[in-house]
Amino acid sequence: MIDGKDILFFIIVFVSNVIQSITGFAGTVLAMPFSLMLVGYNTAKPILNVLGIVISLGVIGTNHKSLNKKEFFKIIAIMLVGMVVGYFVTRQFEISAGLLYHLLGVIVLSFMCIGVFNTFSEKYRKRKKETNSKTDILAYIVLVLAGIVHGMFVCGGPLLVVYASEKMKGRDEFRVTVSAVWAVLNTVILFSDIRDGYFNPKLFVLLGISIVILFGALWVGNMIFRHINKKWFMIITYILMGISGISLLVK
């Protein structure tokens, strides 16, 4: 029942969630491109979505008092609009597997460029210290786009990080609020996936094994986090994002 591609998928789940536990956002973005090629959209999307729910609930359970309720409800409302658009696009239009891969490849490479700029640009860090937020219109556009990407590929995280990093100051407030957003939005996607008939006996087996691997990955990631320079790890993460994006474009 488990073949070679499934084993490679489990390796991707492990590596991506080790990275997720260190960077806080890159797991699904890294996992989705390779997972699409290994097990297909109808398997990768629901499994990675459920794993996202599990991670989010774990973060919320450790420090729920840090939730920024005002931003939480604002983000949910705006991203849901984008998710409806993303869901409509993938359901109502005939999108070939090749086009789907290329679209995600462009998105992943765009995320890589945004992440590199935000992480390593002195100009960006200086501007961030001088201003508290972007204009509301631009912020809302970012959230809508995050919702569209999340509705299609369950990986709108980097765009939400762009918004949340501007709006929330404390590390705990940031992590808990973003995790609460994913818990809600991924649950919406979960019900949609169930209705669309994605869940079958084979998928449940893959999901169960993936959840076990997830906890192992988080443990390993937390151990690495204590001993690694995060800046260099971010460089490695963006390189992997670039490789995954390019691999989708040339597939």
Side-chain angles (χ1 to χ4, degrees):
M1 197 173 189
I2 302 297
D3 57 27
K5 288 186 177 181
D6 296 332
I7 294 173
L8 289 175
F9 171 68
F10 295 143
I11 294 173
I12 294 300
V13 168
F14 178 79
V15 173
S16 62
N17 281 289
V18 167
I19 294 173
Q20 171 75 28
S21 66
I22 296 172
T23 64
F25 75 92
T28 306
V29 177
L30 283 172
M32 183 61 79
F34 296 114
S35 298
L36 281 179
M37 292 184 282
L38 289 169
V39 297
Y41 181 83
N42 290 353
T43 298
K45 178 174 174 280
I47 290 179
L48 295 179
N49 181 64
V50 172
L51 295 183
I53 295 174
V54 174
I55 294 174
S56 298
L57 291 178
V59 173
I60 296 168
T62 60
N63 195 5
H64 64 277
K65 293 182 180 179
S66 297
L67 176 68
N68 184 325
K69 295 180 180 178
K70 178 181 178 181
E71 288 295 336
F72 168 73
F73 288 112
K74 181 193 297 184
I75 293 169
I76 290 291
I78 297 174
M79 283 191 66
L80 277 174
V81 175
M83 283 177 60
V84 170
V85 176
Y87 180 84
F88 178 81
V89 169
T90 55
R91 295 301 181 280
Q92 300 300 321
F93 294 96
E94 290 293 331
I95 301 179
S96 67
L99 179 58
L100 200 65
Y101 292 153
H102 291 164
L103 177 59
L104 182 56
V106 171
I107 291 171
V108 170
L109 290 175
S110 299
F111 286 165
M112 181 196 71
C113 294
I114 292 171
V116 168
F117 178 76
N118 290 357
T119 303
F120 303 109
S121 170
E122 292 293 338
K123 182 179 179 180
Y124 174 80
R125 287 199 291 270
K126 182 179 179 181
R127 182 179 62 80
K128 189 175 178 181
K129 291 179 180 179
E130 294 174 349
T131 182
N132 291 327
S133 65
K134 299 177 179 180
T135 64
D136 286 340
I137 293 177
L138 180 57
Y140 294 156
I141 291 174
V142 168
L143 285 182
V144 172
L145 290 175
I148 293 173
V149 175
H150 202 67
M152 295 180 69
F153 300 109
V154 204
C155 57
L159 283 174
L160 177 56
V161 168
V162 171
Y163 173 87
S165 62
E166 297 282 351
K167 296 292 185 178
M168 287 170 261
K169 302 304 178 184
R171 179 180 177 182
D172 288 340
E173 177 185 338
F174 174 90
R175 291 182 71 244
V176 172
T177 303
V178 169
S179 294
V181 169
W182 295 140
V184 173
L185 298 185
N186 285 23
T187 300
V188 173
I189 293 175
L190 173 60
F191 286 121
S192 172
D193 289 343
I194 293 173
R195 187 187 65 181
D196 290 339
Y198 287 164
F199 286 86
N200 53 56
K202 171 69 179 291
L203 190 142
F204 277 116
V205 171
L206 296 178
L207 176 59
I209 297 173
S210 296
I211 290 175
V212 174
I213 292 172
L214 168 67
F215 288 116
L218 295 179
W219 182 81
V220 171
N222 288 330
M223 294 291 290
I224 294 175
F225 182 73
R226 301 190 187 104
H227 301 94
I228 195 170
N229 183 305
K230 188 173 180 180
K231 180 178 180 179
W232 281 105
F233 200 87
M234 292 298 292
I235 292 173
I236 295 172
T237 298
Y238 292 131
I239 290 173
L240 291 174
M241 287 176 68
I243 293 172
S244 65
I246 293 171
S247 68
L248 285 169
L249 291 178
V250 301
K251 181 175 175 60

